């Protein structure tokens, strides 16, 4: 990060010591707007920048786009971004009981095919072959720092490249308004939080904002679970500084810091079978296992951008970095070892079980990302504008997950054992161009992007979107796009041998993998009628070169897998939203999604998806500085495909209530899954409650 990172690190250390000292420092700098460094920022409802990288009304953009506004975020009463998305969209999410985090399924696409951006920037996460980077990404975003969230459904590779095959979630942080301080606290079934937002407002050429959030996750373990959740503490800091060259040009410097330290514990409540092949015979028996583990995560995002506009151009040049470090340690313990009918001896069996199942483990890895990008939008005339840009992204992965499959192999000793570690670099450079053409009732947006990946070569992604305005209240939209998902570093170069539960798993990368590719189209209608509105969209996607693991050997409790391109899949369905505002205080909305998602190579349903999902939402808001707002919503999932390919149906009722004491103070509470439904196969963990309070000074 150079001098910029050093300077901001000093600021971060001061944040640790005293939030009061930070407030004083910010007051001295004077005030101005912290605009997020997506250029430009718009506060008008219904204006988005993600779908076309330019400002457009949601009504106009051809791509299926949704905005969760600041008003909706405040009214929602959520504790995290993933909770917010569950209530406000038809993005299907499920908790990953083994790997942590949550699946993010847009139109049936896997988690790793949705690109999560912060102010239009990529951020580094686990870069895991199983898609854990996105699964846990939303848990690491500071909810109190968010201005709005823009969601684009459907392939967006023509503008954003790899990982955007299913869609884009762009989280846009708060812009500065006026000098103020916001403080909040919350407590839920699972965790507690407190947060602080400092805003200097604009004075002269300088503006600054800072955010802090502190989180504690509580231990939770059911009797029949093998392991507890990861429990511990996390902290998040966000700093942003704008320097205005003039009213139309400014520099933005930013620094984000996140760290989390967690523990977990494991215990088998029942005896497990052990079967170990020896040189001349097979040793059998039973064992019971326990143990502990710890995890540490650290993420740092930093950079600078130059933003400007004039009568014909809007431009941005940005240089940024994102570093993610993570470490996990496992310490299993054999509680019991009971030999079978004809063991060599009690001692021999215990020794084999301890050496096989009680072996300690650790993994240490880093993911460093650097990027430089430039973009300009040229207004050719009042009916035509051209957007073009280029970017270079460099990923450097280092750690034990690569074993000796990377470069510069070395050894690391930790937790009493030694592992090999190596590193691998992947570079991507890209260029894209997009035209927005308006003629009468037509709005046509063609786009094309070229990507070159250092490991698998070049890829071209086209897209065409069309909006036809039948009338001022009725529109027809259609889109065709081709997307791709480059193999991750680990899918290409994994050499991982680790304990997973009571077993050991070896994952081997495959440098000959091809990128996953998709061809998608959708067509829909949307309109307004009196106090109501509705949308109806049909979508269809075909995928090829799907990447998955293939079992290549099994020896005792050790299973070895390799990544391969396994075949094809097809996702198609219908999305529908119907809303009606009865009066200034009451409104009702129904969001529905019908989905067919199949592995067409093996003719099987893709798991962890529902055939039909529907959310009914009733909202009350008295629109007063002192008063109440409330949201009652019900989620119905039909035909949820479990990992065992069973089909489940369930219905969840939820309620959020907010009490506004004045325009600066609010108290809110949420109860989800009111009737306490539990089903491990469907990832339902029972009732969840939250209470929180926020005050603006």
């Amino acid at each position: 990060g150079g001098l910029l990172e050093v300077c901001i690190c000093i600021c971060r250390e001061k944040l640790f010591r005293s939030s009061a000292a930070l407030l004083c420092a910010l007051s001295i700098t004077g005030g101005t707007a912290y605009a997020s460094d997506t250029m430009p920022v718009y506060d008008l409802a219904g204006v988005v920048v993600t779908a076309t990288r330019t400002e457009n009304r949601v009504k106009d953009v051809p791509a299926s786009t949704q905005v969760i506004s600041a008003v909706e975020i405040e009214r929602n009463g959520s504790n995290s971004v993933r909770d917010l998305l569950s209530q406000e969209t038809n993005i299907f999410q499920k908790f990953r009981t083994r790997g942590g985090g949550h699946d993010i399924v847009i139109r049936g696409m896997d988690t790793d095919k949705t690109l999560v951006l912060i102010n239009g920037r990529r951020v580094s996460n686990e870069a895991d072959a199983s898609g854990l980077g996105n699964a846990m990404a939303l848990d690491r975003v500071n909810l109190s720092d968010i201005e709005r969230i823009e969601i684009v459904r459907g392939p967006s590779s023509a503008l954003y490249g790899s990982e955007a095959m299913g869609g884009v979630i762009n989280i846009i942080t708060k812009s500065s308004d006026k000098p103020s301080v916001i403080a909040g606290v919350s407590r839920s079934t699972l965790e507690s939080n407190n947060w602080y937002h400092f805003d200097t407002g604009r004075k002269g050429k300088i503006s600054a904002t800072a955010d802090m959030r502190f989180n504690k996750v509580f231990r939770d373990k059911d009797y029949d679970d093998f392991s507890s959740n990861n429990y511990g503490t996390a902290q998040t800091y966000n700093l942003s500084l704008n320097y205005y060259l003039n009213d139309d040009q400014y520099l933005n410097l930013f620094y984000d810091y996140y760290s989390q330290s967690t523990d977990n514990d494991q215990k088998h409540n029942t005896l497990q079978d052990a079967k170990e092949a020896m040189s001349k015979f097979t040793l059998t028996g039973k064992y019971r296992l326990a143990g502990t583990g710890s995890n540490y995560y650290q993420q740092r995002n930093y950079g600078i951008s130059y933003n400007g506009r004039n009568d014909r151009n809007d431009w941005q040049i940005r240089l940024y970095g994102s570093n993610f470090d993570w470490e996990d340690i496992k310490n299993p313990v054999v509680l019991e070892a009971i030999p079978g009918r004809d063991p060599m001896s009690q001692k021999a069996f215990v020794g084999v079980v301890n050496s096989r199942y009680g072996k300690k483990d650790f993994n240490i890895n880093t993911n460093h990302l650097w990027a430089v990008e430039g973009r300009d939008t040229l207004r050719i005339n009042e009916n035509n504008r051209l957007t073009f840009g280029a970017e270079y992204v460099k990923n450097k992965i280092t750690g034990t997950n690569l074993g000796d499959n990377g470069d510069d192999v070395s050894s690391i000793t930790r937790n009493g054992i030694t592992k090999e570690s190596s590193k691998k670099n992947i570079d991507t450079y890209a260029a894209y161009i997009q035209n927005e053409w308006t003629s009468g009732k037509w709005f046509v947006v063609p786009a094309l992007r070229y990507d070159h990946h250092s490991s698998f070569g070049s890829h071209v992604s086209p897209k065409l979107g069309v909006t036809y305005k039948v009338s001022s209240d009725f529109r027809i939209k259609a889109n065709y796009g081709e997307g791709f998902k480059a193999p991750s570093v680990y899918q290409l170069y994994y050499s991982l041998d680790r304990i997973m539960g009571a077993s050991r798993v070896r994952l081997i990368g495959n440098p000959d993998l091809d990128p996953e590719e998709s061809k998608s189209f959708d067509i829909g209608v949307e309109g307004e009628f009196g106090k109501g509105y509705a949308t109806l969209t049909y979508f269809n996607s075909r995928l090829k070169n799907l990447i998955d693991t293939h079992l290549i050997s099994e020896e005792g409790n050790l299973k070895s897998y390799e990544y391969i391109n396994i075949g094809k899949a097809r996702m198609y369905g219908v999305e529908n939203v119907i809303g009606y505002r009865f009066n200034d205080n009451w409104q009702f909305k129904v969001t529905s999604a019908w989905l067919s998602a199949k592995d067409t190579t093996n003719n099987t349903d893709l798991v962890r998806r529902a055939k039909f999902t529907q959310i009914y939402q009733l909202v009350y808001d008295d629109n007063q500085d002192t008063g109440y707002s409330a949201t009652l919503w019900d989620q119905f999932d039909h035909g949820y495909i479990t990992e065992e390919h069973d089909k489940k149906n369930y219905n969840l009722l939820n309620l959020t209530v907010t009490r506004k004491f004045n325009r600066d103070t609010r108290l809110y509470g949420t109860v989800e899954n009111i009737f306490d439904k539990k089903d491990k196969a469907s990832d339902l963990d029972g009732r969840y409650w939250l209470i929180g309070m926020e005050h603006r000074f």
Side-chain angles (χ1 to χ4, degrees):
L3 179 60
L4 170 63
E5 185 177 357
V6 172
C7 293
I8 302 178
C9 280
I10 295 173
C11 295
R12 176 169 59 83
E13 293 301 322
K14 293 182 178 179
L15 278 172
F16 272 88
R17 296 170 188 166
S18 172
S19 60
L22 174 64
L23 178 58
C24 294
L26 289 174
S27 300
I28 293 172
T29 63
T32 185
Y34 154 40
S36 69
D37 73 340
T38 299
M39 175 64 184
V41 172
Y42 294 88
D43 296 325
L44 299 177
V47 176
V48 293
V49 297
T50 307
T52 59
R53 285 189 183 254
T54 59
E55 69 277 13
N56 277 298
R57 297 189 308 167
V58 176
K59 290 182 178 181
D60 295 335
V61 293
S64 178
T65 305
Q66 180 180 359
V67 180
I68 302 178
S69 67
V71 173
E72 291 169 315
I73 293 173
E74 183 173 303
R75 186 178 62 203
N76 180 277
S78 293
N79 220 21
S80 66
V81 177
R82 52 178 167 76
D83 289 343
L84 179 67
L85 294 180
S86 295
Q87 178 179 336
E88 297 291 343
T89 72
N90 59 8
I91 296 177
F92 194 75
Q93 296 185 85
K94 277 295 177 183
F95 177 66
R96 289 185 165 217
T97 54
R98 289 193 298 273
H102 287 69
D103 287 317
I104 308 169
V105 179
I106 297 181
R107 292 183 173 178
M109 293 284 189
D110 285 323
T111 293
D112 61 348
K113 297 173 182 60
T114 296
L115 179 61
V116 177
L117 302 173
I118 308 294
N119 294 325
R121 295 180 281 104
R122 297 171 183 268
V123 294
S124 58
N125 282 290
E126 283 86 347
D128 194 285
S130 62
L132 280 182
N134 275 1
M136 300 181 73
L138 298 181
D139 294 326
R140 297 179 181 133
V141 179
N142 187 354
L143 182 65
S144 57
D145 188 34
I146 296 175
E147 175 67 28
R148 70 184 188 273
I149 300 176
E150 298 182 359
I151 301 161
V152 179
R153 295 180 178 83
S156 301
S157 296
L159 289 180
Y160 295 100
S162 183
E163 288 93 42
M165 184 188 295
V168 176
I169 298 175
N170 190 12
I171 299 168
I172 298 173
T173 56
K174 287 179 178 177
S175 57
S176 180
D177 181 26
K178 57 185 178 181
S180 63
V181 177
I182 299 174
V185 61
S186 69
R187 172 70 160 85
S188 74
T189 308
L190 303 176
E191 59 189 352
S192 64
N193 293 274
N194 60 91
W195 61 91
Y196 311 89
H197 175 74
F198 304 97
D199 183 353
T200 67
R202 179 173 176 176
K203 291 182 180 179
K205 294 186 176 183
I206 301 295
S207 69
T209 59
D211 284 85
M212 300 185 293
R213 190 177 185 93
F214 305 96
N215 166 267
K216 181 177 181 179
V217 177
F218 307 119
R219 180 184 181 277
D220 181 47
K221 181 180 181 297
D222 290 337
Y223 174 78
D224 55 349
D225 282 342
F226 169 64
S227 62
S228 73
N229 64 324
N230 289 337
Y231 55 93
T233 59
Q235 50 195 347
T236 308
Y237 302 90
N238 309 101
L239 296 171
S240 182
L241 173 71
N242 278 2
Y243 178 79
Y244 286 82
L245 304 173
N246 54 52
D247 289 341
D248 295 322
Q249 300 179 47
Y250 70 91
L251 297 174
N252 173 257
L253 290 85
F254 66 88
Y255 185 86
D256 304 324
Y257 176 84
Y258 169 89
S259 70
Q260 183 182 40
S261 179
T262 65
D263 297 306
N264 60 67
D265 50 70
Q266 302 176 339
K267 183 177 180 180
H268 269 312
N269 294 301
T270 58
L271 291 170
Q272 308 295 306
D273 290 325
K275 184 177 181 180
E276 300 298 329
M278 309 299 287
S279 58
K280 296 182 179 180
F281 58 91
T282 298
L283 195 61
T284 62
K286 293 181 179 294
Y287 71 96
R288 191 157 61 93
L289 192 68
T292 61
S294 62
N295 301 272
Y296 178 72
Y297 310 93
Q298 183 185 77
Q299 183 186 71
R300 292 170 292 151
N301 308 316
Y302 47 87
I304 184 171
S305 67
Y306 169 51
N307 312 269
R309 59 165 41 191
N310 55 34
D311 292 339
R312 294 196 63 190
N313 300 87
D314 292 336
W315 68 85
Q316 180 185 77
I317 300 173
R318 179 163 56 188
L319 173 67
Y320 66 91
S322 182
N323 301 339
F324 186 77
D325 307 300
W326 73 105
E327 176 180 338
D328 65 88
I329 295 176
K330 300 181 186 299
N331 293 295
V333 176
V334 177
L335 296 179
E336 287 185 83
I338 304 174
R341 293 181 178 179
D342 189 25
M344 253 179 23
S345 70
Q346 172 75 23
K347 184 176 180 180
F349 180 79
V350 171
V352 170
V353 168
N354 273 285
S355 63
R356 176 72 75 178
Y357 298 95
K359 188 175 181 180
K360 295 181 180 181
D361 196 12
F362 79 94
N363 284 281
I364 299 176
N365 299 278
T366 64
N367 177 12
H368 292 178
L369 178 152
W370 296 271
V372 57
E373 60 182 15
R375 170 190 56 78
D376 183 40
T377 296
L378 172 65
R379 298 177 184 86
I380 299 175
N381 54 51
E382 62 180 7
N383 296 319
N384 201 343
R385 61 181 176 180
L386 193 67
T387 298
F388 51 91
E391 64 179 353
Y392 171 77
V393 179
K394 181 182 182 67
N395 273 99
K396 177 183 177 182
I397 308 295
T398 305
T400 56
N401 281 358
L402 294 175
D404 59 358
N405 268 4
D407 305 320
D408 298 334
V409 179
S410 60
S411 297
I412 299 177
T413 300
R414 188 71 61 86
N415 205 26
I417 57 176
T418 299
K419 281 191 169 186
E420 291 182 322
S421 172
S422 59
K423 66 180 181 181
K424 204 70 184 180
N425 295 331
I426 288 184
D427 301 338
T428 303
Y429 57 82
Y432 59 87
I433 187 169
Q434 172 190 265
N435 183 246
E436 297 170 80
W437 174 68
T438 303
S439 178
K441 296 182 177 182
W442 294 91
F443 182 49
V444 182
V445 186
L448 185 70
R449 180 182 174 106
Y450 170 81
D451 285 89
H452 181 80
H453 190 284
S454 60
S455 290
F456 72 81
S458 301
H459 196 93
V460 176
S461 304
K463 184 175 182 179
L464 176 64
V466 178
T467 298
Y468 179 71
K469 301 176 184 177
V470 180
S471 68
S472 60
D473 297 326
F474 184 68
R475 301 163 297 281
I476 300 173
K477 297 183 176 183
N479 297 273
Y480 172 81
E482 297 182 9
F484 79 103
K485 168 68 171 63
S488 72
V489 175
Y490 288 142
Q491 287 171 330
L492 292 167
Y493 305 110
Y494 241 146
S495 180
L496 175 69
D497 186 347
R498 67 185 303 177
I499 296 172
M500 293 186 177
S503 303
R504 295 193 69 86
V505 175
R506 180 175 293 148
L507 296 174
I508 308 299
N510 182 356
D512 296 323
L513 289 173
D514 293 320
E516 299 173 300
E517 300 180 17
S518 71
K519 294 184 178 181
S520 306
F521 73 88
D522 62 62
I523 185 168
V525 294
E526 61 183 45
E528 297 78 41
F529 49 92
K531 296 181 179 180
Y533 59 92
T535 68
L536 181 66
T537 303
Y538 171 79
F539 60 89
N540 192 313
S541 299
R542 294 181 181 273
L543 283 71
K544 69 176 184 178
N545 299 331
L546 289 179
I547 298 174
D548 204 350
T549 56
H550 172 68
L551 181 65
I552 56 177
S553 67
E554 184 173 1
E555 301 176 6
N557 76 320
L558 175 62
K559 296 182 179 180
S560 298
Y561 297 87
E562 182 183 29
Y563 288 95
I564 61 171
N565 294 107
I566 62 169
K568 300 178 180 180
R570 184 188 181 194
M571 294 91 166
Y572 64 91
V574 176
E575 296 172 337
N576 170 240
V577 177
I578 299 177
Y580 191 80
R581 182 180 293 275
F582 299 101
N583 52 45
D584 291 340
N585 303 122
W586 291 93
Q587 58 180 304
F588 181 70
K589 183 173 73 172
V590 180
T591 302
S592 307
W594 293 264
L595 173 68
S596 173
K598 283 186 173 292
D599 174 350
T600 54
T601 300
N602 300 303
N603 194 30
T604 57
D605 289 319
L606 296 179
V607 300
R608 299 178 64 80
R609 295 159 173 84
K611 294 286 188 180
F612 175 66
T613 297
Q614 199 162 51
I615 298 176
Y616 301 87
Q617 188 182 72
L618 179 65
V619 177
Y620 170 78
D621 193 338
D622 59 15
N623 298 307
Q624 302 296 319
D625 291 337
T626 302
Y628 291 89
S629 64
T631 302
L632 178 69
W633 79 100
D634 183 270
Q635 179 179 338
F636 171 63
D637 290 336
H638 172 77
Y640 172 71
I641 310 298
T642 69
E643 292 193 354
E644 291 73 30
H645 288 273
D646 295 326
K647 293 184 178 180
K648 298 277 188 171
N649 303 324
Y650 51 85
N651 199 75
L652 306 176
L653 186 64
N654 318 273
L655 174 67
T656 292
V657 177
T658 299
R659 171 69 163 96
K660 296 165 286 185
F661 296 99
N662 51 55
R663 65 174 57 190
D664 296 322
T665 307
R666 64 186 179 99
L667 176 70
Y668 58 92
T670 297
V671 181
E672 297 182 9
N673 192 354
I674 292 174
F675 296 110
D676 198 26
K677 295 184 181 297
K678 296 181 179 180
D679 181 3
K680 289 188 179 299
S682 301
D683 302 319
L684 300 179
D685 293 329
R687 187 182 298 111
Y688 169 86
W689 60 264
L690 163 74
I691 186 169
M693 187 172 186
E694 188 174 77
H695 177 71
R696 180 189 297 269
F697 295 90

